[in-house]
mmCIF file of all heavy atoms in Angstrom:
data_model
loop_
_atom_site.group_PDB
_atom_site.id
_atom_site.type_symbol
_atom_site.label_atom_id
_atom_site.label_comp_id
_atom_site.label_asym_id
_atom_site.label_seq_id
_atom_site.Cartn_x
_atom_site.Cartn_y
_atom_site.Cartn_z
ATOM 1 N N TYR A 666 10.365 22.386 -13.958
ATOM 2 C CA TYR A 666 10.714 21.028 -13.390
ATOM 3 C C TYR A 666 10.186 20.022 -14.412
ATOM 4 O O TYR A 666 8.979 20.043 -14.686
ATOM 5 C CB TYR A 666 10.217 20.772 -11.924
ATOM 6 C CG TYR A 666 10.507 19.398 -11.455
ATOM 7 C CD1 TYR A 666 11.776 18.965 -11.218
ATOM 8 C CD2 TYR A 666 9.387 18.581 -11.138
ATOM 9 C CE1 TYR A 666 11.901 17.727 -10.704
ATOM 10 C CE2 TYR A 666 9.589 17.392 -10.598
ATOM 11 C CZ TYR A 666 10.830 16.895 -10.390
ATOM 12 O OH TYR A 666 11.038 15.580 -9.947
ATOM 13 N N LYS A 667 11.051 19.225 -14.848
ATOM 14 C CA LYS A 667 10.681 18.250 -16.019
ATOM 15 C C LYS A 667 9.991 19.046 -17.073
ATOM 16 O O LYS A 667 10.097 20.271 -17.210
ATOM 17 C CB LYS A 667 9.731 17.119 -15.494
ATOM 18 C CG LYS A 667 10.536 16.216 -14.579
ATOM 19 C CD LYS A 667 9.573 15.110 -14.104
ATOM 20 C CE LYS A 667 10.253 14.067 -13.246
ATOM 21 N NZ LYS A 667 9.368 13.210 -12.531
ATOM 22 N N GLU A 668 9.385 18.392 -17.953
ATOM 23 C CA GLU A 668 8.704 19.036 -19.205
ATOM 24 C C GLU A 668 7.527 19.929 -18.865
ATOM 25 O O GLU A 668 7.456 21.046 -19.309
ATOM 26 C CB GLU A 668 8.428 18.012 -20.235
ATOM 27 C CG GLU A 668 8.588 18.493 -21.510
ATOM 28 C CD GLU A 668 8.285 17.525 -22.644
ATOM 29 O OE1 GLU A 668 8.904 16.391 -22.479
ATOM 30 O OE2 GLU A 668 7.468 17.614 -23.403
ATOM 31 N N LYS A 669 6.678 19.495 -17.938
ATOM 32 C CA LYS A 669 5.387 20.111 -17.854
ATOM 33 C C LYS A 669 5.099 20.543 -16.268
ATOM 34 O O LYS A 669 4.091 21.220 -16.068
ATOM 35 C CB LYS A 669 4.282 19.235 -18.201
ATOM 36 C CG LYS A 669 4.272 18.876 -19.713
ATOM 37 C CD LYS A 669 3.143 17.892 -19.959
ATOM 38 C CE LYS A 669 3.070 17.556 -21.485
ATOM 39 N NZ LYS A 669 2.469 16.366 -21.687
ATOM 40 N N ASP A 670 6.111 20.298 -15.411
ATOM 41 C CA ASP A 670 5.873 20.587 -14.054
ATOM 42 C C ASP A 670 6.582 21.807 -13.661
ATOM 43 O O ASP A 670 7.594 22.417 -14.366
ATOM 44 C CB ASP A 670 6.315 19.462 -13.288
ATOM 45 C CG ASP A 670 5.644 18.134 -13.638
ATOM 46 O OD1 ASP A 670 4.626 18.178 -14.465
ATOM 47 O OD2 ASP A 670 6.214 17.145 -13.286
ATOM 48 N N LYS A 671 6.271 22.326 -12.506
ATOM 49 C CA LYS A 671 6.842 23.456 -11.751
ATOM 50 C C LYS A 671 7.186 23.122 -10.384
ATOM 51 O O LYS A 671 6.339 22.333 -9.613
ATOM 52 C CB LYS A 671 5.999 24.592 -11.732
ATOM 53 C CG LYS A 671 5.902 25.300 -13.033
ATOM 54 C CD LYS A 671 6.605 26.570 -13.095
ATOM 55 C CE LYS A 671 6.603 27.390 -14.324
ATOM 56 N NZ LYS A 671 7.596 28.478 -14.362
ATOM 57 N N ILE A 672 8.259 23.462 -9.730
ATOM 58 C CA ILE A 672 8.453 23.367 -8.374
ATOM 59 C C ILE A 672 8.453 24.833 -7.812
ATOM 60 O O ILE A 672 9.220 25.708 -8.323
ATOM 61 C CB ILE A 672 9.987 22.806 -8.034
ATOM 62 C CG1 ILE A 672 9.908 21.295 -8.371
ATOM 63 C CG2 ILE A 672 10.159 22.881 -6.512
ATOM 64 C CD1 ILE A 672 11.106 20.550 -7.854
ATOM 65 N N SER A 673 7.692 25.013 -6.806
ATOM 66 C CA SER A 673 7.522 26.393 -6.219
ATOM 67 C C SER A 673 7.817 26.360 -4.778
ATOM 68 O O SER A 673 7.712 25.342 -4.052
ATOM 69 C CB SER A 673 6.097 26.850 -6.448
ATOM 70 O OG SER A 673 5.727 26.951 -7.760
ATOM 71 N N THR A 674 8.307 27.534 -4.293
ATOM 72 C CA THR A 674 8.576 27.672 -2.878
ATOM 73 C C THR A 674 7.230 28.370 -2.343
ATOM 74 O O THR A 674 6.908 29.486 -2.752
ATOM 75 C CB THR A 674 9.768 28.625 -2.610
ATOM 76 O OG1 THR A 674 10.940 27.967 -3.364
ATOM 77 C CG2 THR A 674 10.095 28.619 -1.173
ATOM 78 N N LEU A 675 6.714 27.665 -1.399
ATOM 79 C CA LEU A 675 5.446 28.151 -0.859
ATOM 80 C C LEU A 675 5.911 28.606 0.603
ATOM 81 O O LEU A 675 6.315 27.773 1.431
ATOM 82 C CB LEU A 675 4.429 26.942 -0.656
ATOM 83 C CG LEU A 675 2.984 27.366 -0.215
ATOM 84 C CD1 LEU A 675 2.332 28.447 -1.131
ATOM 85 C CD2 LEU A 675 2.160 26.150 -0.220
ATOM 86 N N PHE A 676 5.597 29.832 0.954
ATOM 87 C CA PHE A 676 5.752 30.327 2.401
ATOM 88 C C PHE A 676 4.491 30.126 3.037
ATOM 89 O O PHE A 676 3.481 30.838 2.781
ATOM 90 C CB PHE A 676 6.227 31.762 2.237
ATOM 91 C CG PHE A 676 6.446 32.411 3.700
ATOM 92 C CD1 PHE A 676 6.905 31.631 4.754
ATOM 93 C CD2 PHE A 676 6.240 33.823 3.844
ATOM 94 C CE1 PHE A 676 7.134 32.165 5.992
ATOM 95 C CE2 PHE A 676 6.479 34.423 5.179
ATOM 96 C CZ PHE A 676 6.837 33.542 6.172
ATOM 97 N N THR A 677 4.474 29.213 3.945
ATOM 98 C CA THR A 677 3.136 28.825 4.583
ATOM 99 C C THR A 677 3.128 29.315 6.069
ATOM 100 O O THR A 677 4.266 29.540 6.606
ATOM 101 C CB THR A 677 3.078 27.287 4.735
ATOM 102 O OG1 THR A 677 4.050 26.806 5.630
ATOM 103 C CG2 THR A 677 3.313 26.704 3.328
ATOM 104 N N ILE A 678 1.998 29.642 6.485
ATOM 105 C CA ILE A 678 1.634 30.087 7.892
ATOM 106 C C ILE A 678 2.083 28.952 8.781
ATOM 107 O O ILE A 678 2.778 29.130 9.859
ATOM 108 C CB ILE A 678 0.171 30.329 8.193
ATOM 109 C CG1 ILE A 678 -0.326 31.593 7.254
ATOM 110 C CG2 ILE A 678 0.019 30.751 9.565
ATOM 111 C CD1 ILE A 678 -1.711 31.854 7.526
ATOM 112 N N GLU A 679 1.763 27.616 8.312
ATOM 113 C CA GLU A 679 1.945 26.533 9.338
ATOM 114 C C GLU A 679 3.410 26.069 9.469
ATOM 115 O O GLU A 679 3.816 25.655 10.527
ATOM 116 C CB GLU A 679 1.039 25.369 8.828
ATOM 117 C CG GLU A 679 -0.315 25.685 8.837
ATOM 118 C CD GLU A 679 -0.872 26.317 7.492
ATOM 119 O OE1 GLU A 679 -0.028 26.754 6.689
ATOM 120 O OE2 GLU A 679 -2.133 26.445 7.364
ATOM 121 N N LYS A 680 4.154 26.134 8.289
ATOM 122 C CA LYS A 680 5.451 25.354 8.407
ATOM 123 C C LYS A 680 6.647 26.163 7.697
ATOM 124 O O LYS A 680 7.583 25.669 7.363
ATOM 125 C CB LYS A 680 5.349 24.113 7.522
ATOM 126 C CG LYS A 680 4.446 22.985 8.004
ATOM 127 C CD LYS A 680 4.505 21.771 7.129
ATOM 128 C CE LYS A 680 4.008 20.521 7.801
ATOM 129 N NZ LYS A 680 3.976 19.455 6.915
ATOM 130 N N GLY A 681 6.411 27.576 7.574
ATOM 131 C CA GLY A 681 7.420 28.297 6.957
ATOM 132 C C GLY A 681 7.586 27.908 5.513
ATOM 133 O O GLY A 681 6.562 27.636 4.853
ATOM 134 N N LEU A 682 8.819 27.806 5.116
ATOM 135 C CA LEU A 682 9.070 27.529 3.561
ATOM 136 C C LEU A 682 8.814 26.062 3.417
ATOM 137 O O LEU A 682 9.270 25.184 4.064
ATOM 138 C CB LEU A 682 10.410 27.845 3.069
ATOM 139 C CG LEU A 682 10.732 29.349 3.168
ATOM 140 C CD1 LEU A 682 12.146 29.536 2.635
ATOM 141 C CD2 LEU A 682 9.810 30.257 2.610
ATOM 142 N N VAL A 683 8.127 25.766 2.226
ATOM 143 C CA VAL A 683 7.952 24.302 1.777
ATOM 144 C C VAL A 683 8.086 24.330 0.213
ATOM 145 O O VAL A 683 7.536 25.182 -0.419
ATOM 146 C CB VAL A 683 6.546 23.952 2.192
ATOM 147 C CG1 VAL A 683 6.192 22.391 1.587
ATOM 148 C CG2 VAL A 683 6.222 23.940 3.601
ATOM 149 N N ASN A 684 8.807 23.322 -0.184
ATOM 150 C CA ASN A 684 8.839 23.219 -1.673
ATOM 151 C C ASN A 684 7.743 22.253 -2.229
ATOM 152 O O ASN A 684 7.493 21.233 -1.613
ATOM 153 C CB ASN A 684 10.180 22.564 -2.261
ATOM 154 C CG ASN A 684 11.225 23.618 -2.134
ATOM 155 O OD1 ASN A 684 11.058 24.803 -2.393
ATOM 156 N ND2 ASN A 684 12.473 23.117 -2.086
ATOM 157 N N VAL A 685 6.987 22.778 -3.162
ATOM 158 C CA VAL A 685 5.848 21.997 -3.604
ATOM 159 C C VAL A 685 5.964 21.865 -5.206
ATOM 160 O O VAL A 685 6.461 22.709 -5.887
ATOM 161 C CB VAL A 685 4.539 22.655 -3.255
ATOM 162 C CG1 VAL A 685 4.217 22.642 -1.703
ATOM 163 C CG2 VAL A 685 4.379 24.053 -3.797
ATOM 164 N N VAL A 686 5.437 20.645 -5.552
ATOM 165 C CA VAL A 686 5.421 20.458 -7.182
ATOM 166 C C VAL A 686 4.027 20.597 -7.661
ATOM 167 O O VAL A 686 2.950 20.219 -6.952
ATOM 168 C CB VAL A 686 5.806 18.971 -7.337
ATOM 169 C CG1 VAL A 686 5.895 18.594 -8.840
ATOM 170 C CG2 VAL A 686 7.245 18.739 -6.648
ATOM 171 N N PHE A 687 3.903 21.393 -8.795
ATOM 172 C CA PHE A 687 2.657 21.425 -9.560
ATOM 173 C C PHE A 687 2.843 20.642 -10.733
ATOM 174 O O PHE A 687 3.823 20.867 -11.501
ATOM 175 C CB PHE A 687 2.519 22.895 -9.914
ATOM 176 C CG PHE A 687 2.155 23.828 -8.771
ATOM 177 C CD1 PHE A 687 3.116 24.518 -8.098
ATOM 178 C CD2 PHE A 687 0.816 24.001 -8.563
ATOM 179 C CE1 PHE A 687 2.713 25.334 -7.095
ATOM 180 C CE2 PHE A 687 0.491 24.865 -7.422
ATOM 181 C CZ PHE A 687 1.342 25.591 -6.715
ATOM 182 N N LYS A 688 2.121 19.594 -10.857
ATOM 183 C CA LYS A 688 2.153 18.635 -12.157
ATOM 184 C C LYS A 688 1.380 19.156 -13.198
ATOM 185 O O LYS A 688 0.211 19.532 -12.982
ATOM 186 C CB LYS A 688 1.724 17.264 -11.618
ATOM 187 C CG LYS A 688 2.758 16.555 -10.699
ATOM 188 C CD LYS A 688 2.569 15.124 -10.763
ATOM 189 C CE LYS A 688 3.940 14.342 -10.340
ATOM 190 N NZ LYS A 688 4.966 14.459 -11.284
ATOM 191 N N GLY A 689 1.919 19.134 -14.338
ATOM 192 C CA GLY A 689 1.376 19.432 -15.670
ATOM 193 C C GLY A 689 0.616 20.911 -15.734
ATOM 194 O O GLY A 689 -0.373 21.025 -16.398
ATOM 195 N N VAL A 690 1.298 21.719 -15.009
ATOM 196 C CA VAL A 690 0.584 23.134 -14.927
ATOM 197 C C VAL A 690 1.098 23.968 -16.076
ATOM 198 O O VAL A 690 0.563 25.260 -16.114
ATOM 199 C CB VAL A 690 0.872 23.787 -13.638
ATOM 200 C CG1 VAL A 690 -0.016 23.311 -12.567
ATOM 201 C CG2 VAL A 690 2.342 23.694 -13.153
ATOM 202 N N LYS A 691 1.889 23.591 -17.012
ATOM 203 C CA LYS A 691 2.434 24.556 -17.964
ATOM 204 C C LYS A 691 1.483 24.670 -19.201
ATOM 205 O O LYS A 691 1.507 25.455 -20.045
ATOM 206 C CB LYS A 691 3.797 24.078 -18.477
ATOM 207 C CG LYS A 691 4.723 24.526 -17.544
ATOM 208 C CD LYS A 691 6.059 23.814 -17.779
ATOM 209 C CE LYS A 691 7.338 24.845 -17.744
ATOM 210 N NZ LYS A 691 8.420 23.996 -18.192
#
Side-chain angles (χ1 to χ4, degrees):
Y666 174 63
K667 292 184 178 167
E668 209 176 306
K669 293 175 181 157
D670 304 345
K671 283 253 180 195
I672 290 189
S673 299
T674 307
L675 187 62
F676 179 29
T677 67
I678 297 181
E679 298 86 352
K680 292 181 163 182
L682 301 184
V683 178
N684 277 336
V685 294
V686 180
F687 287 90
K688 289 202 155 290
V690 278
K691 283 166 133 186

